[in-house]
Amino acid sequence: MLKIFPHPSASAAPSGGQRRVYWLVRMNRRNRSIFYVLLFLTVASHLWVVGSSFTAWLLLALQFLLYPQLAYGVALRSADQRKAEHRNQLLDGFWAGCWMAGLGFPLWISFAMFAGACLHMVVFYGLRGLPMVVGAMGLGAGLVIASGNWSGVHFETDLRTTLLAMLSLTLFFVTYALDGYRRAMYQHRSEMKLRAQVEEIRTLQARLYEQTMSDPLTGLLNRRHLEKALPSAIEAAQIEGRELALLMVDIDHFKNINDQHGHDVGDEVLKSLASIMKAAARSDELVYRYGGEEFVIVLPDCPADLAARRAEQLRRRFMESPVGFGEASIRATLSCGISLYPEHGAVARELLRSADAALYRAKANGRNRSELFASTPGQFDQQPLDEAAGAAGDRPA
């Protein structure tokens, strides 16, 4: 039978001003309030059966109805809400010990209080919280026993009280399980959102990289990509012991096309040639807009005779493909210079300069033709890479 024993003193009420509530304080207020209401019904059922004084009923109301709100107010007004809530959780264990001893350790009520207090601590502090809450419960029970405010051990409870204790503990477990489920789902959604954002970033990075490596007008790869890819293609040819051909293509009299028909028509001519080159390229061949009206094609595993045939096929197809603008059309021609690895260059810059020199000769010999580089010892020694493109300004247009 419950005797008089210490009860929680009143704490200051939470301030009326708006204040951010630490998530643990907010969640524990709800869980504590729900569990304590259920415990109120359970203990009230037991007190009704065994018969108790007005003081016991008053302490019951203070403990299980008022205390959860006082604990929340103290934590809310604390400078460190997390530490204040930790003290509240230890107090939960302490009061549970007091009630267990004061009631005579009725089995189901004591089990519900013990399990609830342990779960309440272990969920947030792991196994290190277990000895703390057990110690707090032991302290509370010890004080009640030492004070003489108890009448021995009474394990039995009636069926209604037992069922209420079971219901209280079950609902408390379900409440915590729902919290865990919500946190898990929130984390899952956050992870999925983060993955989507990472994938979006990767896609954007790929697009940005593609934009930096491609020509916006023709959609071909640009010179920056060529300067990265050509050395790798040469290295692969060296390892495999195969030849590699490089075609440098230039549209004949392109300046005249722009001057006579406008830059819009000139752009259509460039796009027409790019389309023809892409359509004719194999999967392992690389097609570039090298600059202005100049294009480069890298042909792996391509000997001289095949490179010459490919250049002539491209020249004829372009010459036979008029570019329409309005009701008119224009036919343009191209010139092509061919260089081979390793005969005309062992590294990228030598191969480019050789193709550029062959292109210059095709222009000088009347345009609308292809020329294979004829090497001259020492011709390109120490010439910078950028001069391969710059030499185009010295060629006939």
Side-chain angles (χ1 to χ4, degrees), residues 218 220 247-251 269-282 285-290 293-299 310 314-315 317-318 334 336:
T218 63
L220 299 179
L247 309 185
M248 185 169 287
V249 177
D250 189 278
I251 299 174
V269 172
L270 292 172
K271 289 191 286 186
S272 175
L273 176 56
S275 178
I276 292 171
M277 295 171 74
K278 283 192 291 186
R282 300 179 309 191
E285 296 174 350
L286 300 174
V287 183
Y288 296 89
R289 183 183 180 191
Y290 193 54
E293 70 274 19
E294 197 167 61
F295 298 79
V296 168
I297 308 176
V298 179
L299 307 174
R310 293 292 302 278
L314 176 63
R315 185 187 64 81
R317 188 171 301 175
F318 181 64
L334 61 80
C336 181

Side-chain angles (χ1 to χ4, degrees), residues 21-39:
V21 183
Y22 185 62
W23 68 271
L24 180 59
V25 174
R26 181 175 58 252
M27 187 173 70
N28 280 353
R29 179 196 189 188
R30 183 197 61 202
N31 292 344
R32 184 182 289 114
S33 298
I34 294 172
F35 189 47
Y36 271 40
V37 167
L38 295 170
L39 286 178

